[in-house]
Amino acid sequence: MDKVLEVKELSKQYTKVLAVDKVSFDIAPGEIFALIGPNGAGKTTTIRMISTLLTPTSGDAIVAGNSIVKAPKKVRESITYLPDEAGAYKNMKGIEYLRFMAGLFTNDPKKVNEYVERAKSINKLGERLNDKLGSYSRGMIRKVLLSRAVMTQPKLAILDEPTSGLDVLNAIEIRKTIKQLAAEEGMSFLLSSHNMLEIEFVSDRVGIIAKGHLLVTGRTDELKARYNAANLEEVFERVVNGNEIL
Ligand SMILES: Nc1ncnc2c1ncn2[C@@H]1O[C@H](COP(=O)(O)OP(=O)(O)OP(=O)(O)O)[C@@H](O)[C@H]1O
Ligand SMILES: [Mg+2]
């Protein structure tokens, strides 16, 4: 089957830093791919370029057949992006926020209802959706934002550190939701995370990035065997510390 995402030698030069250097990888339909790497490795920069929020210096990425450089508007129709530090409209009730966001995608009131119902079934916040977002815990806000991000059934959901700062139980719930959406609806995911346990559980394949270089990609079990490592954390440490180009 065709790839949902093909990243081709994508690079970003900020004024002083080459943040992303010829990064290439792809994601198949229904696949969950995670970028892992130290702080400042280039994860958010890569994600923001693919989300069409940042223009690449060179290279390209093709999302569901459309180029982020040549057809960013088309790309936006098939993706959703959840930023690492997403704020929410504090004075809106949860339910109002979901309706407002659904209304940005369609003018059809039936569709709006459909999207909102879908978001409600994903975030499972029930009656609390009638409270203002300002009164939510961090975990509840992340759940609302995730449900908002996937309510329109995008082909590719791009989530920058989706569970950062959440307690274990909330993080587990979000991971389960992601896996379920991929398995049952064929949605693809591009994630970034610092949590190796999370990545091992949730992703089909990972890419290890450091100093703008994508050093290896592969399935977790393959990488553990290749680096003779007990877990992904060991793989990560061996790849990042043992790499001569860094
Ligand atoms: N707007 C910007 N202007 C200049 N340099 C930037 C900008 N954004 C990021 N950088 C630099 O680019 C590099 C990559 O940053 P990026 O935010 O992509 O890393 P990251 O892997 O997401 O890190 P973290 O794990 O801390 O979120 C860093 O050296 C950072 O300082
Ligand atoms: Mg980041």
Side-chain angles (χ1 to χ4, degrees):
M1 212 164 163
D2 279 351
K3 301 289 180 197
V4 168
L5 174 69
E6 285 174 81
V7 181
K8 301 175 183 177
E9 305 213 317
L10 204 56
S11 299
K12 181 69 186 180
Q13 172 79 55
Y14 290 118
T15 316
K16 289 191 187 137
V17 192
L18 181 58
V20 174
D21 190 5
K22 294 196 175 147
V23 161
S24 302
F25 64 94
D26 51 42
I27 302 182
E31 191 174 40
I32 303 173
F33 183 91
L35 277 176
I36 54 178
N39 291 125
K43 301 180 295 296
T44 296
T45 303
T46 303
I47 279 177
R48 287 176 61 82
M49 286 192 282
I50 297 166
S51 307
T52 74
L53 297 167
L54 198 62
T55 317
T57 308
S58 62
D60 202 351
I62 310 297
V63 184
N66 295 299
S67 151
I68 57 164
V69 177
K70 295 192 193 112
K73 271 196 187 146
K74 278 265 168 219
V75 168
R76 277 173 222 139
E77 288 169 13
S78 44
I79 61 165
T80 187
Y81 166 66
L82 183 64
D84 47 357
E85 276 301 328
Y89 300 81
K90 297 258 181 283
N91 285 322
M92 258 188 202
K93 292 177 182 172
I95 193 75
E96 289 169 345
Y97 171 76
L98 292 173
R99 277 209 198 94
F100 169 73
M101 296 307 283
L104 298 179
F105 286 90
T106 174
N107 291 321
D108 179 355
K110 258 169 76 183
K111 272 264 166 212
V112 169
N113 276 338
E114 202 181 290
Y115 289 159
V116 171
E117 283 310 311
R118 205 176 125 73
K120 279 162 77 176
S121 75
I122 290 167
N123 65 45
K124 299 188 184 77
L125 289 175
E127 287 302 310
R128 287 301 309 267
L129 285 171
N130 296 317
D131 297 333
K132 286 189 175 171
L133 290 168
S135 74
Y136 287 18
S137 70
R138 200 179 159 90
M140 289 168 69
I141 292 205
R142 291 306 281 183
K143 280 183 206 166
V144 170
L145 293 175
L146 176 68
S147 72
R148 182 275 294 163
V150 297
M151 70 183 170
T152 54
Q153 291 180 292
K155 289 207 173 78
L156 175 67
I158 303 172
L159 315 175
D160 200 353
E161 302 197 32
T163 61
S164 88
L166 298 195
D167 69 42
V168 178
L169 294 179
N170 276 310
I172 288 174
E173 229 180 293
I174 287 203
R175 285 172 211 152
K176 280 191 184 150
T177 304
I178 292 172
K179 267 182 105 79
Q180 200 175 351
L181 288 165
E184 291 172 10
E185 305 190 15
M187 209 182 277
S188 303
F189 286 87
L190 168 59
L191 316 171
S192 83
S193 178
H194 288 286
N195 184 332
M196 302 287 160
L197 211 69
E198 161 163 305
I199 295 301
E200 260 193 91
F201 171 77
V202 84
S203 54
D204 300 308
R205 275 190 311 130
V206 302
I208 297 179
I209 184 169
K211 297 195 180 156
H213 300 280
L214 188 62
L215 300 172
V216 286
T217 59
R219 290 163 46 95
T220 308
D221 48 352
E222 277 169 18
L223 295 179
K224 284 197 282 196
R226 198 191 304 170
Y227 291 91
N228 190 22
N231 52 45
L232 193 57
E233 205 158 74
E234 268 184 38
V235 172
F236 182 77
E237 202 238 323
R238 282 174 201 172
V239 169
V240 174
N241 289 342
N243 206 287
E244 64 278 7
I245 61 168
L246 295 179

Coordinates of all heavy atoms in Angstrom, one line a residue, residues 113-190:
N113 N -21.7 17.8 14.7 CA -22.2 16.9 15.8 C -21.4 15.5 15.8 O -21.1 15.0 16.8 CB -23.7 16.6 15.6 CG -24.5 17.7 16.3 OD1 -24.0 18.4 17.1 ND2 -25.7 17.9 15.8
E114 N -21.2 15.0 14.6 CA -20.6 13.7 14.4 C -19.1 13.8 15.0 O -18.7 13.0 15.7 CB -20.5 13.5 12.9 CG -20.3 12.0 12.5 CD -20.2 12.0 11.0 OE1 -21.3 12.2 10.3 OE2 -19.1 11.7 10.5
Y115 N -18.4 14.9 14.6 CA -17.1 15.1 15.1 C -17.0 15.2 16.6 O -16.2 14.6 17.3 CB -16.4 16.3 14.5 CG -16.1 16.2 13.0 CD1 -15.9 17.4 12.2 CD2 -15.9 15.0 12.4 CE1 -15.6 17.3 10.9 CE2 -15.6 14.9 11.1 CZ -15.4 16.0 10.3 OH -15.1 16.0 9.0
V116 N -18.0 16.0 17.2 CA -18.0 16.2 18.6 C -18.3 14.9 19.4 O -17.7 14.6 20.4 CB -19.0 17.3 19.0 CG1 -19.2 17.4 20.5 CG2 -18.5 18.7 18.5
E117 N -19.3 14.2 18.8 CA -19.6 12.9 19.4 C -18.4 11.9 19.5 O -18.1 11.2 20.4 CB -20.8 12.2 18.7 CG -22.1 12.8 19.0 CD -22.4 12.9 20.5 OE1 -22.2 12.0 21.3 OE2 -22.8 14.1 20.9
R118 N -17.7 12.0 18.3 CA -16.5 11.1 18.2 C -15.4 11.5 19.3 O -14.9 10.7 20.0 CB -15.9 11.3 16.8 CG -15.1 10.2 16.3 CD -14.7 10.4 14.9 NE -13.3 10.3 14.8 CZ -12.6 9.2 14.9 NH1 -13.3 8.1 15.0 NH2 -11.3 9.1 14.8
A119 N -15.2 12.9 19.4 CA -14.3 13.4 20.4 C -14.7 13.0 21.8 O -13.9 12.5 22.6 CB -14.1 14.9 20.2
K120 N -16.0 13.1 22.1 CA -16.5 12.7 23.4 C -16.2 11.2 23.7 O -15.9 10.9 24.8 CB -18.0 13.0 23.5 CG -18.3 14.4 23.8 CD -19.7 14.8 23.4 CE -20.7 14.3 24.5 NZ -22.1 14.8 24.1
S121 N -16.4 10.4 22.7 CA -16.2 9.0 22.9 C -14.8 8.6 23.1 O -14.4 7.6 23.8 CB -16.9 8.1 21.8 OG -16.0 8.2 20.7
I122 N -13.9 9.5 22.6 CA -12.4 9.2 22.7 C -11.9 9.8 24.1 O -11.2 9.1 24.8 CB -11.7 9.8 21.5 CG1 -12.0 9.0 20.3 CG2 -10.2 9.8 21.8 CD1 -11.6 9.7 19.0
N123 N -12.4 11.0 24.4 CA -11.8 11.6 25.7 C -12.5 11.1 27.0 O -11.9 11.2 28.0 CB -11.7 13.1 25.6 CG -13.1 13.7 25.6 OD1 -14.0 13.4 26.3 ND2 -13.3 14.7 24.7
K124 N -13.7 10.5 26.8 CA -14.4 9.9 28.0 C -14.5 10.9 29.2 O -14.5 10.4 30.3 CB -13.8 8.6 28.4 CG -13.8 7.6 27.3 CD -13.3 6.2 27.8 CE -13.2 5.2 26.7 NZ -12.0 5.3 25.8
L125 N -14.6 12.2 28.9 CA -14.6 13.1 30.1 C -16.1 13.3 30.6 O -16.3 13.9 31.6 CB -14.0 14.4 29.7 CG -12.4 14.3 29.6 CD1 -11.9 15.6 29.1 CD2 -11.8 13.9 30.9
G126 N -17.0 12.8 29.8 CA -18.4 12.9 30.3 C -18.9 14.3 30.7 O -18.7 15.3 30.0
E127 N -19.5 14.3 31.9 CA -20.0 15.6 32.4 C -19.0 16.7 32.6 O -19.3 17.9 32.5 CB -20.7 15.4 33.7 CG -22.0 14.6 33.6 CD -23.0 15.3 32.7 OE1 -23.3 16.5 32.9 OE2 -23.6 14.7 31.8
R128 N -17.7 16.3 32.8 CA -16.7 17.4 33.0 C -16.5 18.3 31.8 O -16.0 19.4 31.9 CB -15.4 16.7 33.3 CG -15.2 16.2 34.7 CD -15.5 17.2 35.9 NE -14.7 18.4 35.8 CZ -13.6 18.6 36.4 NH1 -13.0 17.7 37.1 NH2 -13.0 19.8 36.3
L129 N -17.0 17.8 30.6 CA -16.9 18.6 29.4 C -17.8 19.9 29.5 O -17.6 20.8 28.8 CB -17.4 17.8 28.2 CG -16.4 16.8 27.7 CD1 -17.0 15.9 26.6 CD2 -15.1 17.5 27.1
N130 N -18.7 19.9 30.5 CA -19.5 21.1 30.8 C -18.8 22.1 31.6 O -19.3 23.2 31.9 CB -20.9 20.7 31.4 CG -21.7 19.9 30.4 OD1 -21.7 20.2 29.2 ND2 -22.2 18.8 30.9
D131 N -17.6 21.8 32.1 CA -16.8 22.7 32.9 C -15.8 23.5 32.0 O -15.4 23.0 30.9 CB -16.0 22.0 34.0 CG -16.9 21.3 35.0 OD1 -18.0 21.8 35.1 OD2 -16.5 20.3 35.5
K132 N -15.3 24.6 32.5 CA -14.4 25.4 31.7 C -13.0 24.7 31.6 O -12.6 24.1 32.6 CB -14.2 26.8 32.3 CG -15.4 27.7 32.0 CD -15.2 29.1 32.4 CE -16.4 29.9 32.0 NZ -16.3 31.3 32.5
L133 N -12.3 24.8 30.5 CA -11.0 24.2 30.3 C -10.0 24.6 31.4 O -9.2 23.9 31.8 CB -10.5 24.5 28.9 CG -11.2 23.8 27.8 CD1 -10.8 24.5 26.4 CD2 -11.0 22.4 27.8
G134 N -10.2 25.9 31.8 CA -9.3 26.4 32.9 C -9.3 25.6 34.2 O -8.4 25.7 35.0
S135 N -10.4 24.9 34.4 CA -10.5 24.1 35.6 C -10.0 22.7 35.4 O -10.1 21.9 36.4 CB -12.0 24.1 36.1 OG -12.7 23.2 35.3
Y136 N -9.5 22.3 34.3 CA -9.1 20.9 34.0 C -7.7 20.7 34.5 O -6.8 21.6 34.5 CB -9.1 20.6 32.5 CG -10.5 20.5 31.9 CD1 -11.6 20.9 32.5 CD2 -10.6 19.9 30.6 CE1 -12.8 20.8 31.9 CE2 -11.8 19.7 30.0 CZ -12.9 20.2 30.7 OH -14.1 20.1 30.1
S137 N -7.4 19.4 34.8 CA -6.0 19.0 35.1 C -5.3 18.9 33.8 O -5.9 18.9 32.7 CB -6.0 17.7 35.8 OG -6.4 16.7 34.9
R138 N -4.0 18.8 33.9 CA -3.2 18.7 32.7 C -3.6 17.5 31.8 O -3.7 17.5 30.6 CB -1.7 18.6 33.1 CG -0.7 18.9 32.1 CD 0.7 18.7 32.7 NE 1.7 18.5 31.6 CZ 2.3 19.5 30.9 NH1 2.1 20.7 31.3 NH2 3.1 19.2 30.0
G139 N -3.8 16.4 32.6 CA -4.2 15.1 31.9 C -5.5 15.3 31.1 O -5.7 14.8 30.0
M140 N -6.5 16.0 31.8 CA -7.8 16.2 31.1 C -7.6 17.1 29.9 O -8.2 16.8 28.8 CB -8.8 16.8 32.1 CG -9.2 15.9 33.2 SD -10.1 16.8 34.5 CE -11.6 17.2 33.6
I141 N -6.8 18.1 30.0 CA -6.6 19.0 28.8 C -5.9 18.2 27.7 O -6.4 18.3 26.5 CB -5.7 20.2 29.2 CG1 -6.5 21.1 30.1 CG2 -5.2 20.9 27.9 CD1 -6.2 22.5 30.2
R142 N -5.0 17.3 28.0 CA -4.3 16.5 26.9 C -5.3 15.6 26.3 O -5.3 15.4 25.1 CB -3.1 15.7 27.5 CG -1.9 16.4 27.9 CD -1.3 17.4 26.9 NE -0.5 16.8 25.9 CZ 0.1 17.5 24.9 NH1 0.0 18.8 24.9 NH2 0.8 16.9 24.0
K143 N -6.3 15.1 27.1 CA -7.3 14.2 26.5 C -8.2 14.9 25.6 O -8.5 14.4 24.5 CB -8.1 13.5 27.6 CG -7.4 12.3 28.2 CD -8.2 11.7 29.3 CE -7.4 11.0 30.3 NZ -8.1 10.6 31.5
V144 N -8.6 16.1 26.0 CA -9.5 17.0 25.1 C -8.7 17.3 23.8 O -9.3 17.2 22.7 CB -9.9 18.3 25.8 CG1 -10.6 19.2 24.8 CG2 -10.8 17.9 27.0
L145 N -7.5 17.7 24.0 CA -6.7 18.1 22.8 C -6.5 16.9 21.8 O -6.6 17.0 20.6 CB -5.4 18.7 23.2 CG -5.4 20.0 23.9 CD1 -4.1 20.5 24.4 CD2 -6.1 21.1 23.0
L146 N -6.2 15.7 22.4 CA -6.0 14.5 21.6 C -7.3 14.2 20.9 O -7.3 13.9 19.6 CB -5.5 13.3 22.4 CG -5.4 12.0 21.6 CD1 -4.2 12.1 20.6 CD2 -5.1 10.8 22.5
S147 N -8.4 14.2 21.6 CA -9.7 13.9 21.0 C -10.0 14.9 19.9 O -10.6 14.5 18.8 CB -10.8 13.8 22.0 OG -11.2 15.0 22.5
R148 N -9.7 16.2 20.1 CA -9.9 17.2 19.1 C -9.0 16.9 17.9 O -9.5 17.0 16.7 CB -9.5 18.6 19.7 CG -9.7 19.7 18.8 CD -8.5 20.0 17.8 NE -7.3 20.4 18.5 CZ -6.1 20.4 18.0 NH1 -5.9 19.9 16.8 NH2 -5.1 20.7 18.7
A149 N -7.8 16.5 18.1 CA -6.8 16.2 17.0 C -7.3 15.1 16.1 O -7.0 15.1 14.9 CB -5.4 15.9 17.5
V150 N -8.0 14.1 16.7 CA -8.3 12.9 15.8 C -9.8 12.8 15.5 O -10.2 11.9 14.8 CB -7.9 11.6 16.5 CG1 -6.4 11.6 16.7 CG2 -8.6 11.4 17.9
M151 N -10.6 13.8 15.9 CA -12.0 13.7 15.7 C -12.4 13.7 14.2 O -13.4 13.1 13.8 CB -12.8 14.8 16.5 CG -12.7 16.2 16.0 SD -13.6 17.3 17.1 CE -13.0 18.9 16.5
T152 N -11.6 14.3 13.4 CA -11.9 14.4 11.9 C -11.3 13.3 11.2 O -11.3 13.3 9.9 CB -11.4 15.7 11.4 OG1 -10.0 15.8 11.7 CG2 -12.1 17.0 12.0
Q153 N -10.8 12.3 11.9 CA -10.2 11.1 11.2 C -9.2 11.5 10.2 O -9.3 11.1 9.0 CB -11.3 10.2 10.6 CG -12.1 9.5 11.7 CD -13.1 8.6 11.2 OE1 -14.1 9.1 10.6 NE2 -13.0 7.3 11.4
P154 N -8.1 12.2 10.6 CA -7.1 12.5 9.6 C -6.3 11.3 9.2 O -6.3 10.3 10.0 CB -6.2 13.5 10.4 CG -6.4 13.1 11.8 CD -7.8 12.7 11.9
K155 N -5.7 11.3 8.0 CA -4.9 10.2 7.6 C -3.6 10.0 8.5 O -3.2 9.0 8.8 CB -4.4 10.3 6.2 CG -5.5 10.2 5.2 CD -5.0 9.7 3.8 CE -6.1 9.4 2.9 NZ -6.6 10.6 2.2
L156 N -3.1 11.2 8.9 CA -1.8 11.2 9.7 C -2.0 12.2 10.9 O -2.3 13.4 10.7 CB -0.7 11.7 8.8 CG 0.7 11.9 9.5 CD1 1.2 10.5 10.0 CD2 1.7 12.6 8.5
A157 N -1.8 11.6 12.1 CA -1.9 12.5 13.2 C -0.5 12.7 13.7 O 0.3 11.7 13.9 CB -2.7 11.9 14.3
I158 N -0.1 14.0 13.9 CA 1.3 14.3 14.3 C 1.3 14.8 15.7 O 0.7 15.9 16.0 CB 1.9 15.3 13.3 CG1 1.8 14.8 11.9 CG2 3.3 15.7 13.7 CD1 2.2 15.8 10.8
L159 N 1.8 14.1 16.7 CA 1.7 14.4 18.1 C 3.1 14.6 18.7 O 3.9 13.7 18.8 CB 0.9 13.3 18.8 CG -0.3 12.8 18.2 CD1 -0.9 11.6 19.0 CD2 -1.4 13.8 18.0
D160 N 3.4 15.9 19.1 CA 4.7 16.2 19.7 C 4.6 16.0 21.2 O 3.9 16.7 21.8 CB 5.0 17.6 19.3 CG 6.5 17.9 19.5 OD1 7.3 17.0 19.9 OD2 7.0 19.0 19.1
E161 N 5.2 15.0 21.7 CA 5.2 14.6 23.1 C 3.8 14.5 23.7 O 3.5 15.3 24.6 CB 6.1 15.6 23.9 CG 7.5 15.6 23.4 CD 8.5 16.2 24.4 OE1 8.3 16.1 25.6 OE2 9.5 16.9 23.9
P162 N 3.0 13.6 23.2 CA 1.6 13.6 23.5 C 1.3 13.3 25.0 O 0.3 13.7 25.5 CB 1.0 12.5 22.7 CG 2.1 11.6 22.3 CD 3.3 12.6 22.2
T163 N 2.2 12.7 25.7 CA 2.0 12.4 27.1 C 2.9 13.1 28.1 O 3.0 12.7 29.3 CB 2.0 10.8 27.4 OG1 3.4 10.4 27.1 CG2 1.1 10.1 26.5
S164 N 3.6 14.1 27.6 CA 4.6 14.7 28.5 C 3.9 15.4 29.7 O 2.9 16.0 29.5 CB 5.5 15.7 27.8 OG 4.9 17.0 27.8
G165 N 4.4 15.1 30.9 CA 3.9 15.7 32.1 C 2.6 15.0 32.6 O 2.0 15.5 33.6
L166 N 2.3 13.9 32.1 CA 1.1 13.2 32.6 C 1.4 12.1 33.5 O 2.5 11.5 33.5 CB 0.3 12.6 31.4 CG -0.3 13.5 30.3 CD1 -1.3 12.8 29.5 CD2 -0.9 14.7 31.0
D167 N 0.5 11.8 34.5 CA 0.8 10.7 35.4 C 0.6 9.4 34.6 O 0.1 9.4 33.5 CB -0.1 10.8 36.6 CG -1.6 10.5 36.3 OD1 -1.9 9.6 35.5 OD2 -2.5 11.2 36.8
V168 N 1.1 8.3 35.2 CA 1.2 7.0 34.5 C -0.2 6.6 34.0 O -0.3 6.2 32.8 CB 1.7 5.9 35.5 CG1 1.7 4.6 34.8 CG2 3.1 6.3 36.0
L169 N -1.3 6.7 34.8 CA -2.6 6.2 34.3 C -3.1 7.0 33.1 O -3.6 6.4 32.2 CB -3.6 6.2 35.5 CG -3.2 5.3 36.6 CD1 -4.2 5.3 37.7 CD2 -3.1 3.8 36.1
N170 N -2.9 8.3 33.2 CA -3.4 9.2 32.1 C -2.6 8.9 30.8 O -3.1 8.8 29.7 CB -3.3 10.6 32.4 CG -4.5 11.1 33.2 OD1 -5.6 10.9 32.8 ND2 -4.3 11.8 34.3
A171 N -1.3 8.7 31.0 CA -0.4 8.4 29.9 C -0.8 7.1 29.2 O -0.9 6.9 28.0 CB 1.1 8.4 30.3
I172 N -1.1 6.1 30.1 CA -1.5 4.8 29.6 C -2.8 4.9 28.7 O -2.9 4.3 27.7 CB -1.7 3.7 30.7 CG1 -0.3 3.4 31.3 CG2 -2.4 2.5 30.2 CD1 -0.3 2.5 32.5
E173 N -3.7 5.7 29.2 CA -5.0 5.8 28.5 C -4.7 6.5 27.1 O -5.3 6.0 26.2 CB -5.9 6.8 29.4 CG -7.2 6.2 29.5 CD -8.1 7.1 30.4 OE1 -7.8 7.2 31.6 OE2 -9.1 7.7 29.8
I174 N -3.9 7.5 27.1 CA -3.6 8.1 25.8 C -2.9 7.2 24.9 O -3.3 7.1 23.7 CB -2.8 9.4 26.1 CG1 -3.8 10.5 26.7 CG2 -2.2 9.9 24.8 CD1 -3.5 11.9 26.5
R175 N -2.0 6.4 25.4 CA -1.3 5.4 24.5 C -2.2 4.4 24.0 O -2.2 4.0 22.8 CB -0.2 4.7 25.3 CG 1.0 5.5 25.6 CD 1.9 4.8 26.6 NE 2.6 5.8 27.3 CZ 3.1 5.6 28.6 NH1 2.9 4.4 29.2 NH2 3.7 6.6 29.2
K176 N -3.2 3.9 24.8 CA -4.1 2.9 24.4 C -5.0 3.5 23.3 O -5.3 2.9 22.3 CB -5.0 2.5 25.5 CG -4.4 1.5 26.4 CD -5.4 0.9 27.3 CE -4.7 -0.1 28.3 NZ -5.4 -0.2 29.6
T177 N -5.4 4.8 23.4 CA -6.3 5.4 22.4 C -5.5 5.5 21.1 O -6.1 5.2 20.1 CB -6.6 6.9 22.9 OG1 -7.2 6.8 24.2 CG2 -7.5 7.6 21.9
I178 N -4.2 5.9 21.2 CA -3.5 6.0 19.9 C -3.4 4.6 19.2 O -3.6 4.5 18.0 CB -2.0 6.5 20.2 CG1 -2.1 8.0 20.7 CG2 -1.1 6.4 19.0 CD1 -0.8 8.6 21.2
K179 N -3.1 3.6 20.0 CA -3.0 2.2 19.4 C -4.3 1.8 18.8 O -4.3 1.2 17.7 CB -2.5 1.2 20.5 CG -1.0 1.1 20.5 CD -0.6 0.0 21.6 CE -0.2 -1.3 21.0 NZ 1.1 -1.3 20.5
Q180 N -5.4 2.1 19.5 CA -6.7 1.7 19.1 C -7.1 2.4 17.7 O -7.6 1.7 16.8 CB -7.7 2.0 20.1 CG -9.0 1.3 20.0 CD -9.9 1.6 21.2 OE1 -9.5 2.3 22.2 NE2 -11.1 1.2 21.2
L181 N -6.8 3.7 17.7 CA -7.1 4.4 16.4 C -6.3 3.9 15.3 O -6.8 3.8 14.1 CB -6.8 5.9 16.6 CG -7.8 6.6 17.6 CD1 -7.2 8.0 18.0 CD2 -9.2 6.8 16.9
A182 N -5.1 3.5 15.5 CA -4.2 3.0 14.4 C -4.7 1.6 14.0 O -4.9 1.3 12.8 CB -2.8 2.9 14.9
A183 N -5.0 0.8 15.0 CA -5.4 -0.6 14.7 C -6.8 -0.7 14.1 O -7.1 -1.4 13.1 CB -5.4 -1.5 15.9
E184 N -7.8 0.1 14.6 CA -9.1 -0.1 14.2 C -9.5 0.8 13.0 O -10.4 0.5 12.3 CB -10.1 0.2 15.4 CG -10.0 -0.9 16.4 CD -10.8 -0.6 17.7 OE1 -11.5 0.4 17.7 OE2 -10.6 -1.4 18.6
E185 N -8.8 2.0 12.9 CA -9.3 2.9 11.9 C -8.2 3.1 10.8 O -8.4 3.9 9.9 CB -9.7 4.2 12.5 CG -10.7 4.0 13.5 CD -11.3 5.3 14.0 OE1 -11.1 6.4 13.4 OE2 -12.0 5.3 15.1
G186 N -7.0 2.5 11.0 CA -6.0 2.7 10.0 C -5.3 4.0 10.0 O -4.7 4.4 9.1
M187 N -5.5 4.8 11.1 CA -4.9 6.1 11.2 C -3.4 5.9 11.4 O -3.0 5.0 12.2 CB -5.5 6.9 12.4 CG -5.6 8.4 12.2 SD -6.3 9.2 13.7 CE -8.0 9.0 13.3
S188 N -2.6 6.8 10.8 CA -1.1 6.7 11.0 C -0.7 7.8 12.0 O -1.4 8.8 12.1 CB -0.4 6.9 9.7 OG -0.8 6.0 8.8
F189 N 0.4 7.5 12.7 CA 0.8 8.5 13.7 C 2.3 8.7 13.6 O 3.1 7.8 13.4 CB 0.6 7.9 15.2 CG -0.9 8.0 15.6 CD1 -1.7 6.9 15.3 CD2 -1.4 9.1 16.2 CE1 -3.1 7.0 15.6 CE2 -2.7 9.1 16.6 CZ -3.6 8.1 16.3
L190 N 2.7 10.0 13.7 CA 4.0 10.4 13.9 C 4.1 11.0 15.3 O 3.4 12.0 15.6 CB 4.5 11.4 12.8 CG 5.8 12.1 13.1 CD1 7.0 11.1 13.1 CD2 6.1 13.1 11.9

